[in-house]
Amino acid sequence: HMAKLITAAERITRARALIQKARDLPVPTDGGKYNLSYLAQVKDYLRQARDLVKFIPLTAGASVEIKGEAKKVLAEADQANQEILH
């Protein structure tokens, strides 16, 4: 039984949800933003988001619009990283 291939649009939707999850993580009272498990969780969500979309801009079959959205998601992940962790 093969895993269902998810579409580029679905990947973008999932990636945006992961970025939002990273933003919504409560900052721990113990250590704040420097709490290691918090940092690891934020970075993990953002890595998963990037991994979902990073190859879309290189995919021959993807539309220009979808490629543009994928690039935007990568920028949003970087921006979230800056805002959350700095």
Side-chain angles (χ1 to χ4, degrees):
H1 172 69
M2 271 177 61
K4 183 172 91 61
L5 220 68
I6 60 172
T7 65
E10 173 68 14
R11 285 174 173 271
I12 288 166
T13 302
R14 288 189 190 182
R16 287 208 161 110
L18 283 161
I19 293 169
Q20 192 56 51
K21 267 175 108 165
R23 288 185 179 283
D24 292 344
L25 265 183
V27 176
T29 47
D30 172 31
K33 287 185 176 183
Y34 302 103
N35 177 296
L36 289 180
S37 66
Y38 172 77
L39 283 172
Q41 188 68 73
V42 168
K43 288 185 176 296
D44 187 54
Y45 283 145
L46 296 177
R47 180 191 53 75
Q48 287 177 52
R50 286 190 191 98
D51 285 352
L52 274 168
V53 300
K54 67 184 177 189
F55 294 117
I56 295 173
L58 311 172
T59 308
S63 70
V64 173
E65 185 187 12
I66 287 286
K67 288 181 183 186
E69 280 299 299
K71 286 179 185 160
K72 266 196 244 173
V73 170
L74 291 170
E76 287 163 22
D78 290 342
Q79 189 184 349
N81 187 57
Q82 287 299 319
E83 290 171 8
I84 298 166
L85 302 179
H86 299 281

